[in-house]
Amino acid sequence: MSERINIKKRSAVFIDLNILEYKRALDLQIQALNAKIDTGLIIDQIFFVEHFPVFTLGKRGGKENLSVSKEFLAAKKIDVVQTDRGGNITYHGPGQAVMYPIVDLERNKIGVKEFVHGLEEIMKRTAADFGINANRDQRNHGIWVQNSKIGSVGISIKKGISFHGLAMNINLDLEPFSWINPCGLANVSMTSIKKEKLKSESSCSINESTISMDQIKIAFVKHFSSVFDYKKTDLKSVANTNDLIINEM
């Protein structure tokens, strides 16, 4: 009975960072993580963000799965950043919805496998909101539409608190994925909500099939709250990310 009461007290602040450089968003995650560790603050923070073009490497590496040169990437103005999240190489860019939950898994009694499964479920339900049947696949964590990947999960845990998170392709340019083996998997194609809607609604124009990021953020809040049994909190937009931690704590 007491465990059920504790679960019902789960709460989070949902924070919209809009579009932000990857390293800056990572710095904000680390600040939030360290604040929770140092002060024991209960409130969890869920960051929503789009990134400027960047390839990120996971704990398993990933440079070996990059098929273009440094000079090519420099000409495209795309950085390569090493991270401590799980997984291999992936791409982030405008039009991809990224969610970073800074969640105290131990306090909330959420297992790591349960958490990863839940992040996948959020993307699965979001895809369903737009008429897309997406599912898990044994090849790799994340969410797939048949043989094409639409969403990825990569997290890290420090002292029972999660950071990093999920990335779901909404209406981004998918070409940079062709320059890597996504998540270290060869011969894997990537897809997006926009691409799948265009397939199923051939009579629609590209403009008619565009999904707004605000719709995705609302879906993420709804499904995160439902999947992990959190109290719903208003989505907050922060103009000055330098003051983010102070303002939101």
Side-chain angles (χ1 to χ4, degrees):
M1 183 67 177
S2 60
E3 181 175 315
R4 182 175 180 81
I5 291 172
N6 288 335
I7 289 175
K8 289 301 180 184
K9 289 183 179 179
R10 291 176 182 171
S11 60
V13 177
F14 295 87
I15 304 165
D16 186 3
L17 300 178
N18 297 310
I19 185 164
L20 196 64
E21 189 251 348
Y22 181 85
K23 289 181 180 178
R24 178 63 184 134
L26 181 57
D27 286 345
L28 291 173
Q29 290 183 71
I30 299 302
Q31 288 180 43
L33 173 70
N34 289 337
K36 286 181 74 66
I37 292 171
D38 294 342
T39 66
L41 290 167
I42 295 175
I43 190 73
D44 293 327
Q45 295 183 78
I46 318 299
F47 295 158
F48 296 87
V49 66
E50 293 175 73
H51 289 307
F52 296 107
V54 63
F55 288 108
T56 63
L57 311 176
K59 290 179 180 178
R60 298 178 185 174
K63 279 189 178 179
E64 70 281 3
N65 287 304
L66 182 63
S67 61
V68 293
S69 67
K70 291 181 180 179
E71 293 75 18
F72 179 88
L73 293 177
K76 295 288 185 179
K77 297 182 179 180
I78 301 178
D79 289 335
V80 178
V81 178
Q82 179 67 57
T83 79
D84 55 358
R85 62 163 171 76
N88 204 283
I89 192 169
T90 194
Y91 171 73
H92 300 298
Q96 182 188 68
V98 180
M99 184 172 74
Y100 296 130
I102 314 302
V103 169
D104 192 329
L105 300 181
E106 287 188 0
R107 184 187 294 273
N108 289 306
K109 303 186 187 319
I110 302 173
V112 175
K113 288 184 179 179
E114 177 189 355
F115 190 62
V116 170
H117 189 275
L119 294 179
E120 292 172 337
E121 185 65 21
I122 289 165
M123 293 188 288
K124 185 176 186 295
R125 293 185 187 186
T126 298
D129 288 344
F130 297 95
I132 297 166
N133 182 27
N135 291 287
R136 295 173 181 82
D137 191 290
Q138 292 182 350
R139 290 175 292 181
N140 185 258
H141 284 303
I143 291 297
W144 303 68
V145 180
Q146 296 181 345
N147 292 320
S148 297
K149 195 169 189 180
I150 196 169
S152 301
V153 173
I155 66 169
S156 286
I157 308 292
K158 183 177 181 181
K159 295 191 175 181
I161 300 169
S162 73
F163 59 115
H164 296 290
L166 66 80
M168 188 172 189
N169 301 332
I170 310 304
N171 53 19
L172 78 167
D173 178 8
L174 295 172
E175 183 180 8
F177 283 110
S178 68
W179 306 333
I180 61 174
N181 290 324
C183 304
L185 301 175
N187 302 316
V188 169
S189 63
M190 302 296 290
T191 191
S192 66
I193 285 183
K194 178 179 177 179
K195 183 175 180 179
E196 294 303 316
K197 283 185 68 63
L198 284 171
K199 286 180 184 178
S200 62
E201 302 173 13
S202 57
S203 61
C204 289
S205 70
I206 291 177
N207 288 335
E208 290 172 335
S209 293
T210 298
I211 305 300
S212 77
M213 200 57 70
D214 283 343
Q215 290 175 286
I216 301 300
K217 291 168 185 173
I218 290 169
F220 275 12
V221 170
K222 177 180 69 174
H223 296 312
F224 183 94
S225 300
S226 175
V227 168
F228 293 115
D229 204 6
Y230 270 70
K231 178 182 177 181
K232 290 186 179 180
T233 307
D234 289 339
L235 187 69
K236 298 192 175 184
S237 181
V238 179
N240 186 353
T241 54
N242 290 318
D243 296 331
L244 175 67
I245 302 304
I246 295 173
N247 288 343
E248 295 304 325
M249 291 289 187

